[in-house]
Amino acid sequence: MSKSTGIGASVKRVEDYRFLTGRGRYTDDMTRPGQCHAYIVRSPHAHARILSIDTAATLAAPGVLTVLTGADMVADNIGSLPCGWLIHSRDGTPMKEPKHLPIAADKVRHVGDQVAVVIAETLQQAKDAAELLDIDYEELPAVVSPGSVETAGTAVHDEAPDNVCYDWIWGDKDKTDAAFAQAAHVTTLDLVNTRLVPNAMEPRAAVGEYDPGMDEYTLTTTSQNPQLIRLLLCGFTMGLPEHKVRVVAPDVGGGFGSKIYHYAEEVIVVYAARRLKRPVKWTAERSESFLSDAHGRDHLTHVELAMDPDGLFLGMRVKTTANMGAYLSTFSSCIPTILYATLLSGQYKTPAIHAEVKAVFTNTVPVDAYRGAGRPEACYLIERIVDVAARELGIDRAELRRRNFIPPEMMPYDTPVGLQYDSGNFARNLEDALALIDYDGFPARRAESATRGKRRGIGFASYIEACGIAPSNVAGALGARAGLYDSAEVRFHPTGSVSVMVGVHSHGQGHETTFAQIVSERLGVPMEKIEIVHGDSAKTPFGMGTYGSRSLAVGGMAMMKAIDKVIAKSKKIAAHLLEASAEDIEQDGGVFRVAGTDRSVDIAAIAGAAYVPHNYPLDELEPGLDEQAFYDPKNFTFPNGTQICEVEVDPETGVVKIVRFAAVDDFGRVINPMIVEGQVHGGLVQGIGQALLEHAIYDEDSGQLLTGSFMDYAMPRADDVPDFEVKTNEVLCTTNALGVKGCGEAGTIGGAACVMNAVCDALDIGHMDMPASPERVWRVLRDSRPAMAAE
Amino acid sequence: MPVSITLTVNGRPAALTVEPNTLLVDAIRQHLSLTGTHVGCDTSQCGACVVHLDGVSVKSCTTLAVQADGRNVTTIEGLAAPDGTLHPMQAAFKEHHGLQCGFCTPGMVMSAVDLARVNPNATPEEIRHWLEGNICRCTGYHNIVKAVESGLQAMKTGAAAQAAE
């Protein structure tokens, strides 16, 4: 029988009531007394010098309070938006790190770059007045395509005349070259990992407040990591003391990475609030989000796989050009390097791997982590080339994977790209997924589809990812400029309810439920007496926030440590109350018992004694039951699994329909299966979106984003995607006490590769680039049938 | 030139003065402070703003406030019973984990409730088609479809029970 509460139970979410009744509180829902509105004037040009900005007519317009430009920010010493990870090129030089002012002061570098801010009593007044702004630009040629930046003849930044940010290498080149020298077969592949727009459903928003009496600031913002935003706001952009700044991320409507970063608008509203001494609000319109939220992916890759006569992988070479866009967003530099090349071993015992990554600047929106962040890019090239290799060698694709999997008995396994996988049973995930999809029945289903004129294909992705980047000192040695621990405080209240303040943030993941399940089980407190508090720097200890599927593996472990401290103290209090020795106290949930007796006390009574310490060992113990912990992981965690999908292609129209989808995942210990399944479904659909629909396209000449709205950028709708069969195989993580690995990104990491493998199988081709839209599929079919095309 | 309108919102009368170009969603969010109805796009694609106008789902971002003059508006805040008991469709979304970040949820639920009027016996495929105008980026739709299926059933059962009384 399945559990109804605690760890492993599909507890219904505690946060749902407010969301279902319209009582969620998102940033744009806030209205502050005296609030005024910021409208941001954005560059219509991809690359241009700002010659002058005439604000006179705008300032004279009704309701206008001020107009801010880059010159104002420079005069007030507002700092550059920082990049949080330093990468060094192969020649030892640091990456090019040009300034990124919150409002452009000299040049605009992408369509949508901030040029000026109009602040007025109402948003409509600000917008109307912005029309009167007279900005004189000198247009410059734009660098758009990442593949030809060095010969573009124009530089996005003077500091990088060739538009190269860094030229980085990873792995053992000599060993890899030696592997290729003895290969029986080499498969090569050129592929594009398309640029995507994350498009969380809630557009970004920010409210800045300044209290001149206390000299205090509050920023309410759509962030996945409010404490990190406070750190960057205080330490880099605004230059304020942290104790005077509160950053709140209330309910946040999805993030998928795009709400990790410190954005210009956060600086703008805080700066403007100080100047005006009034609350200043900004909310993005969706078309503005397309031009100002960090985009994802955008890699051009050449990959080669060397094999012996049996198809055993001997070596892999990868050359990637990664588009950074116009500026370095907060974590952009580590995505195509530390979170990408380190995953190139995949689930396979490839002994030698070498990667070269060139990161380039272009006159496009900055690119940063989007769900998966580097790992989907790694998985896509690995799983695509494995399929192409199987096709070339005439080996069944499941069999080729089986032959090359790292077996469980080789765990812990040191990859040639710097990671140590702690655990996983990759073959079992594959076999279970094959059973779920009924692989043996596929030929019959393919034949049946053919009778209806459809081409059916099946595809696999056996993915592995690295979550909870850690430990901090290793990350630091690799260039991280921040710690990667997290924190939690477990505070018992005198009458036995519990508040848990965590440094991670929930914006759809359901932490308020899953974290409470752990507290409930470990401390024997009913769910309704537990509150998980997150998203407010004034309430929570300093933590790094939510991204990279780290919340449970890092934040949850910090909470476990704090719980352990509560238990340790509770044992001492119980020993006093029960007149026993602390060593003799056994704890089971909320019950503390003298071993071998029926004498016990429950945690509510212990909390009561701690806060009303009349019968209490005051000479040995402090009153109160309130413990805090920080946790810095020993290693990454490595969620892994196999996804399989079947597609049916209509050769007449090129329409690809996903007809079956199965996923078997090893997330380590599962706290709430219902929530985990939901994360898998959602992740898979973002992978499917990339494979079949989504593509951010820039005009090569003008640098205009052609897919700048939901009318033009196709995201999956309900009728584009299938139902999913999902299953988890728990192989406990050996490097954290919870045994958890993380589940937030898994679906997206394998999803695109899985679908494209099925599409290529259906089309009987080696490769086509994403997205497999009807037009592109139709063209592939036409081009692969020259006789018919000639008719 | 501002216009005066009167409408019924979640069963209560409301008198508003709005500009002729004020959108219904802005009237709801800003004039009435009912912030459960959301704005997720500017091209009438996402459906986060769906409300009921005289019992029929509309995208309030593409409806003028003046078009609601003299009419009944139901927002997500008006769906649960006065004592807080969830509407069967809301309860089904909770039961089947049909929401994650919650941002698309009000529009999704309001659209789903209207499906009961149009096609109370909708198949999963018909549910997916009906929800084509509501984008969710979190759930992958799998559990939303399950929730709507179950919610439609619960609404039928509830209606049958009411008829029997």
Side-chain angles (χ1 to χ4, degrees):
Chain A
M1 210 180 99
S2 58
K3 292 174 72 175
S4 63
T5 185
I7 294 171
S10 286
V11 176
K12 305 303 174 203
R13 299 203 318 170
V14 299
E15 42 274 86
D16 283 358
Y17 186 82
R18 68 176 189 269
F19 294 138
L20 282 164
T21 53
R23 266 82 180 182
R25 286 291 170 263
Y26 302 87
T27 300
D28 186 56
D29 299 341
M30 315 285 175
T31 299
R32 301 295 185 215
Q35 171 178 296
C36 50
H37 297 265
Y39 176 76
I40 297 175
V41 179
R42 298 184 180 276
S43 171
H45 306 297
H47 196 193
R49 208 172 297 286
I50 302 169
L51 300 179
S52 65
I53 302 177
D54 183 349
T55 60
T58 303
L59 284 167
V64 171
L65 299 167
T66 190
V67 178
L68 303 174
T69 65
D72 295 318
M73 287 202 151
V74 170
D76 283 334
N77 292 317
I78 302 301
S80 176
L81 294 158
C83 180
W85 205 296
L86 175 64
I87 297 294
H88 284 86
S89 286
R90 62 171 92 194
D91 64 6
T93 55
M95 66 186 188
K96 302 290 182 359
E97 214 172 343
K99 274 192 175 172
H100 183 192
L101 288 176
I103 306 177
D106 54 346
K107 286 207 304 185
V108 287
R109 294 182 172 86
H110 66 88
V111 173
D113 209 352
Q114 297 79 226
V115 181
V117 181
V118 180
I119 298 171
E121 296 291 346
T122 72
L123 180 59
Q124 196 56 51
Q125 287 173 331
K127 279 185 176 181
D128 289 346
E131 296 284 321
L132 305 173
L133 209 56
D134 189 3
I135 306 170
D136 196 9
Y137 294 101
E138 176 197 348
E139 280 191 67
L140 301 168
V143 185
V144 178
S145 171
S148 54
V149 294
E150 287 154 286
T151 54
T154 185
V156 180
H157 297 279
D158 295 341
E159 297 90 328
D162 58 358
N163 294 308
V164 175
C165 175
Y166 56 75
D167 180 7
W168 178 87
I169 51 172
W170 193 247
D172 188 330
K173 184 170 191 304
D174 293 341
K175 200 176 164 192
T176 308
D177 288 346
F180 274 82
Q182 49 162 303
H185 183 81
V186 173
T187 294
T188 65
L189 184 60
D190 287 284
L191 51 83
V192 178
N193 206 300
T194 38
R195 177 184 279 248
L196 302 176
V197 183
N199 278 326
M201 291 313 297
E202 178 204 25
R204 284 192 300 114
V207 182
E209 295 170 81
Y210 176 63
D211 176 348
M214 294 295 291
D215 190 29
E216 284 177 353
Y217 301 79
T218 302
L219 168 67
T220 307
T221 181
T222 49
S223 176
Q224 300 176 212
N225 29 239
Q227 295 273 11
L228 185 65
I229 300 306
R230 189 179 70 157
L231 169 64
L232 300 178
L233 195 70
C234 292
F236 296 89
T237 51
M238 286 294 294
L240 299 169
E242 275 136 312
H243 70 285
K244 291 292 187 185
V245 180
R246 175 182 179 192
V247 177
V248 182
D251 286 329
V252 172
F256 316 114
S258 70
K259 291 173 181 168
I260 296 172
Y261 323 117
H262 184 26
Y263 282 102
E265 296 85 356
E266 293 167 331
V267 185
I268 288 168
V269 295
V270 171
Y271 173 66
R274 179 171 71 190
R275 285 181 60 127
L276 293 169
K277 299 188 172 48
R278 287 178 61 177
V280 177
K281 182 180 195 173
W282 167 82
T283 301
E285 296 182 10
R286 179 57 64 181
S287 46
E288 195 177 4
S289 305
F290 272 93
L291 299 176
S292 62
D293 292 5
H295 292 180
R297 318 283 190 256
D298 209 349
H299 286 192
L300 306 173
T301 293
H302 175 77
V303 52
E304 300 169 90
L305 179 63
M307 286 159 284
D308 78 1
D310 297 322
L312 288 178
F313 305 158
L314 301 175
M316 189 162 72
R317 284 192 193 119
V318 175
K319 282 188 188 177
T320 292
T321 300
N323 194 349
M324 297 282 102
Y327 303 100
L328 289 179
S329 175
T330 312
F331 285 119
S332 56
S333 53
C334 74
I335 309 306
T337 49
I338 303 302
L339 291 181
Y340 169 68
T342 55
L343 271 300
L344 289 172
S345 199
Q347 298 193 353
Y348 310 111
K349 46 190 184 205
T350 314
I353 298 171
H354 188 250
E356 302 176 22
V357 178
K358 189 179 288 182
V360 301
F361 293 113
T362 59
N363 292 114
T364 62
V365 170
V367 178
D368 206 324
Y370 164 55
R371 200 170 191 172
R375 293 153 291 165
E377 293 92 317
C379 179
Y380 183 67
L381 75 87
I382 298 166
E383 292 303 288
R384 277 277 49 239
I385 201 165
V386 168
D387 260 35
V388 177
R391 179 182 166 87
E392 290 177 358
L393 295 172
I395 301 174
D396 175 83
R397 289 172 292 160
E399 174 56 23
L400 185 60
R401 284 176 169 82
R402 263 185 218 112
R403 282 183 202 174
N404 286 285
F405 278 151
I406 300 159
E409 56 273 19
M410 284 177 79
M411 299 289 175
Y413 178 82
D414 290 307
T415 73
V417 274
L419 296 180
Q420 186 183 75
Y421 298 162
D422 67 289
S423 60
N425 188 334
F426 306 147
R428 188 175 68 164
N429 297 334
L430 174 70
E431 301 311 328
D432 287 358
L434 290 170
L436 265 187
I437 203 97
D438 179 26
Y439 189 53
D440 294 340
F442 176 70
R445 293 195 294 277
R446 172 175 264 178
E448 189 279 327
S449 294
T451 64
R452 290 181 282 110
K454 302 285 171 62
R455 298 175 68 149
R456 199 175 183 108
I458 192 166
F460 312 89
S462 294
Y463 76 89
I464 188 162
E465 55 161 329
C467 297
I469 312 176
S472 289
N473 53 359
V474 172
L478 292 171
R481 286 165 163 165
L484 289 154
Y485 50 83
D486 224 288
S487 63
E489 178 183 347
V490 176
R491 182 185 300 164
F492 262 86
H493 300 293
T495 61
S497 70
V498 183
S499 293
V500 181
M501 281 61 72
V502 293
V504 294
H505 187 272
S506 185
H507 33 278
Q509 296 89 342
H511 297 167
E512 292 168 38
T513 305
T514 46
F515 280 50
Q517 286 177 248
I518 296 171
V519 175
S520 177
E521 174 148 329
R522 293 287 292 140
L523 293 173
V525 178
M527 287 288 283
E528 60 272 18
K529 288 194 168 182
I530 302 165
E531 179 191 32
I532 305 297
V533 179
H534 61 96
D536 185 344
S537 70
K539 295 180 181 172
T540 69
F542 186 86
M544 302 308 293
T546 287
Y547 41 83
S549 305
R550 70 191 296 276
S551 294
L552 191 56
V554 188
M557 277 301 300
M559 186 178 75
M560 284 287 283
K561 276 186 71 178
I563 289 170
D564 286 345
K565 290 184 185 179
V566 166
I567 291 170
K569 185 169 181 179
S570 295
K571 281 186 176 174
K572 292 180 186 166
I573 300 168
H576 176 86
L577 296 174
L578 298 169
E579 296 174 345
S581 150
E583 292 75 51
D584 292 336
I585 301 293
E586 290 176 345
Q587 178 244 349
D588 180 16
V591 178
F592 291 74
R593 177 178 287 110
V594 182
T597 73
D598 59 358
R599 288 190 296 136
S600 69
V601 58
D602 72 19
I603 193 133
I606 290 170
Y611 285 99
V612 187
H614 297 168
N615 175 20
Y616 194 84
L618 282 169
D619 45 349
E620 294 165 35
L621 280 181
E622 296 171 13
L625 196 54
D626 184 349
E627 299 287 349
Q628 183 171 316
F630 284 73
Y631 172 76
D632 203 277
K634 292 197 284 272
N635 193 0
F636 289 90
T637 62
F638 298 98
N640 60 87
T642 288
Q643 301 158 354
I644 307 184
C645 94
E646 275 180 48
V647 299
E648 240 182 25
V649 178
D650 182 341
E652 299 298 319
T653 62
V655 169
V656 177
K657 186 174 166 59
I658 297 174
V659 287
R660 293 162 73 88
F661 211 121
V664 176
D665 297 291
D666 164 16
F667 298 136
R669 191 186 307 285
V670 171
I671 306 301
N672 184 320
M674 174 191 81
I675 286 176
V676 165
E677 285 178 15
Q679 290 294 311
V680 174
H681 300 155
L684 286 172
V685 165
Q686 289 187 5
I688 292 169
Q690 181 176 23
L692 299 183
L693 299 162
E694 300 179 37
H695 192 189
I697 303 169
Y698 275 94
D699 181 83
E700 289 289 329
D701 296 322
S702 67
Q704 295 290 334
L705 180 63
L706 300 179
T707 51
S709 80
F710 283 172
M711 302 274 276
D712 315 288
Y713 183 91
M715 287 205 301
R717 314 276 178 131
D719 53 0
D720 292 316
V721 295
D723 274 341
F724 300 97
E725 293 223 45
V726 303
K727 177 177 187 281
T728 52
N729 280 337
E730 286 191 5
V731 180
L732 298 188
C733 177
T734 64
T735 56
N736 66 57
L738 275 168
V740 298
K741 296 182 178 177
C743 68
E745 296 163 293
T748 309
I749 286 168
C754 179
V755 175
M756 289 311 293
N757 283 346
V759 169
C760 291
D761 182 46
L763 300 179
D764 192 22
I765 57 170
H767 179 71
M768 74 173 284
D769 278 324
M770 301 182 283
S773 60
E775 184 207 345
R776 294 163 67 104
V777 168
W778 183 85
R779 286 180 189 281
V780 166
L781 282 166
R782 183 196 60 178
D783 296 346
S784 65
R785 284 182 297 189
M788 280 181 68
E791 276 170 12
Chain B
M1 198 61 183
V3 184
S4 293
I5 59 172
T6 57
L7 59 167
T8 304
V9 180
N10 299 330
R12 292 198 197 116
L16 300 178
T17 303
V18 298
E19 295 296 328
N21 65 352
T22 299
L23 299 171
L24 179 57
V25 69
D26 291 331
I28 290 169
R29 285 182 59 80
Q30 285 154 28
H31 295 241
L32 296 166
S33 299
L34 293 170
T35 55
T37 302
H38 296 151
V39 179
C41 75
D42 46 14
T43 51
S44 197
Q45 293 288 304
C46 80
C49 65
V50 169
V51 299
H52 291 180
L53 198 54
D54 291 337
V56 176
S57 58
V58 296
K59 287 185 173 172
S60 61
C61 75
T62 333
T63 307
L64 294 169
V66 292
Q67 289 177 280
D69 191 19
R71 300 173 71 180
N72 265 299
V73 175
T74 307
T75 71
I76 190 70
E77 289 92 342
L79 209 55
D83 70 354
T85 304
L86 293 177
H87 180 281
M89 190 59 77
Q90 291 170 313
F93 268 70
K94 176 169 181 165
E95 179 66 24
H96 294 276
H97 188 30
L99 65 153
Q100 290 181 22
C101 81
F103 196 79
C104 78
T105 308
M108 202 62 88
V109 169
M110 297 308 285
S111 284
V113 169
D114 194 29
L115 179 57
R117 178 183 61 83
V118 178
N119 183 1
N121 301 307
T123 64
E125 201 178 340
E126 288 168 336
I127 292 169
R128 286 182 182 276
H129 184 66
W130 177 260
L131 294 178
E132 204 268 344
N134 292 80
I135 303 178
C136 170
R137 193 58 156 166
C138 292
T139 63
Y141 303 104
H142 179 108
N143 286 342
I144 288 179
V145 175
K146 299 271 178 287
V148 175
E149 221 181 337
S150 159
L152 289 175
Q153 190 60 43
M155 284 174 71
K156 270 195 296 185
T157 311
Q162 268 190 344
E165 274 170 14

